[in-house]
Amino acid sequence: MINAQTVYVVLFGNPVAHSLSPQMHNAAFQHLGLNMVYLAFKVEEAVEAAAVMRTLGFQGASITVPHKQAIIPHLDEVDEMGRAIGAVNTVFAQDGRLMGYNTDWLGVVRALEQVTELRGKRCLILGAGGAARAAIYGLQSRGAQVFVMNRNEERGHRLAAEMDCTSVDWQSWDRLDVELVINATPVGMSPKPDQSLVPKHWLQGRTAVLDMVYRPLKTKLLREAEAAQCLCVSGLDMLLYQGAAQFEIWTGKKAPVDIMRRALIEPLEDEADQDH
Ligand code: NAP
């Protein structure tokens, strides 16, 4: 029951209507009997998100596209990971100060660590946007060697130089020998689920594939990776583990990961049923 003591945590982004974070976090709050509610707000500018948090005294926030970088100057402090990645996806209000964190990198690492060890692994990341930056940071923190491939090669080269990894030419599959593959682009996402950037034959012999796309749950890339006997990690797991880390920042309690996973999977399975 919402009452005058209810603590509010909110999502700021544009758009937000497709987000599964409200289901995930509200299920976790309810499961632990916390008097907390998670709401989603579409905001045009990051500055508005910070101002609303301060004015209305919200306890925490998720920050999503397109505000993850733009929010930084409006916060009082940003943790080391958020500074290194250059993006914040989590805000926690502590003693009137807005503290920024990045948990996307943890989402990548924890999702992959469910299926494989990362230390010493050679890993290809497709994409050079914010999600790729988080993945590079996470993989490097676990001792993996990172290669970046981006459609806009110049952008990929710049990112690799900045984050001390190796950039490879777009679609230079024959010269690439990696064990892990991460899709950090929107390719394969509904309403165009029959696309994949990775040639099917090249997946043979890779250890694991993470597709950050989670609509549909099983993308073309993951279906082909499964057929090539790779270990498959869905973008839903990344979403889950970045969310679990957010929950722990806001509440100081261990996240009920199984409850949160169920809250994410149910709507996605319903969507899949409707598509068939
Ligand atoms: P972003 O900053 O906009 O970057 C998008 C990247 O995808 C760019 O490198 C872009 O390449 C590339 N790209 C876009 N369309 C492409 C196409 N048709 N062919 C080849 N490359 C293409 O986005 P982001 O925030 O990094 O997010 C990337 C993806 O990860 C999105 O689908 C997002 O939903 C997903 N994501 C998932 C989670 C999760 O929890 N599962 C978390 C964060 C993000 P150019 O530089 O050439 O334009």
Side-chain angles (χ1 to χ4, degrees), residues 7-10 25 28-29 32 34 36 38 53 58-63 75 77-82 87-95 97-107 110 240-257 260:
V7 170
Y8 294 94
V9 180
V10 298
H25 286 300
F29 293 152
L32 293 186
L34 302 173
M36 297 176 76
Y38 188 100
M53 276 196 82
F58 292 153
Q59 178 72 68
S62 302
I63 307 295
L75 303 175
E77 218 171 294
V78 173
D79 75 342
E80 182 198 326
M81 289 67 115
V88 157
N89 74 326
T90 309
V91 180
F92 182 47
Q94 212 171 17
D95 305 324
R97 288 167 59 77
L98 297 185
M99 318 290 284
Y101 301 85
N102 188 301
T103 68
D104 282 332
W105 72 276
L106 254 181
R110 290 199 179 146
L240 171 67
Y241 289 109
Q242 65 77 32
Q246 294 187 310
F247 182 92
E248 290 172 4
I249 289 170
W250 298 323
T251 65
K253 296 182 188 304
K254 193 162 167 36
V257 171
M260 295 169 82

Side-chain angles (χ1 to χ4, degrees), residues 104-150:
D104 282 332
W105 72 276
L106 254 181
V108 174
V109 162
R110 290 199 179 146
L112 280 168
E113 284 177 342
Q114 303 303 307
V115 302
T116 184
E117 158 87 17
L118 298 177
R119 180 157 300 283
K121 289 275 174 13
R122 293 161 62 86
C123 179
L124 173 69
I125 298 178
L126 287 153
R133 294 179 71 93
I136 295 171
Y137 180 90
L139 290 162
Q140 288 180 332
S141 76
R142 293 296 194 267
Q145 190 184 350
V146 179
F147 299 83
V148 174
M149 182 192 281
N150 195 51

Side-chain angles (χ1 to χ4, degrees), residues 18 64-65 68-69 89 104 107-108 126-134 148-153 155-156 159 170-171 183-189 192 195 197 210-214 234-243:
H18 64 287
T64 190
V65 177
K68 288 186 187 184
Q69 288 90 30
N89 74 326
D104 282 332
V108 174
L126 287 153
R133 294 179 71 93
V148 174
M149 182 192 281
N150 195 51
R151 177 180 61 178
N152 175 338
E153 291 186 346
R155 187 180 181 196
L159 175 63
W170 181 238
Q171 306 258 318
N183 177 37
T185 79
V187 176
M189 194 191 298
K192 292 185 181 167
Q195 297 185 348
L197 291 172
L210 162 63
D211 196 340
M212 290 195 188
V213 171
Y214 55 83
S234 155
L236 181 125
D237 285 315
M238 175 181 170
L239 182 66
L240 171 67
Y241 289 109
Q242 65 77 32

Side-chain angles (χ1 to χ4, degrees), residues 147-247:
F147 299 83
V148 174
M149 182 192 281
N150 195 51
R151 177 180 61 178
N152 175 338
E153 291 186 346
E154 180 51 38
R155 187 180 181 196
H157 295 328
R158 263 188 277 122
L159 175 63
E162 184 194 336
M163 295 192 76
D164 204 15
C165 53
T166 306
S167 60
V168 297
D169 293 341
W170 181 238
Q171 306 258 318
S172 58
W173 304 107
D174 294 345
R175 282 174 274 146
L176 253 179
D177 183 20
V178 296
E179 290 135 308
L180 308 184
V181 182
I182 297 179
N183 177 37
T185 79
V187 176
M189 194 191 298
S190 299
K192 292 185 181 167
D194 288 323
Q195 297 185 348
S196 166
L197 291 172
V198 185
K200 196 168 148 181
H201 71 270
W202 182 84
L203 288 166
Q204 294 290 340
R206 313 293 154 204
T207 306
V209 176
L210 162 63
D211 196 340
M212 290 195 188
V213 171
Y214 55 83
R215 271 192 170 101
L217 260 180
K218 204 176 264 186
T219 58
K220 182 176 187 205
L221 171 60
L222 288 188
R223 279 186 271 118
E224 293 181 347
E226 196 173 67
Q229 320 240 300
C230 306
L231 299 164
C232 291
V233 184
S234 155
L236 181 125
D237 285 315
M238 175 181 170
L239 182 66
L240 171 67
Y241 289 109
Q242 65 77 32
Q246 294 187 310
F247 182 92

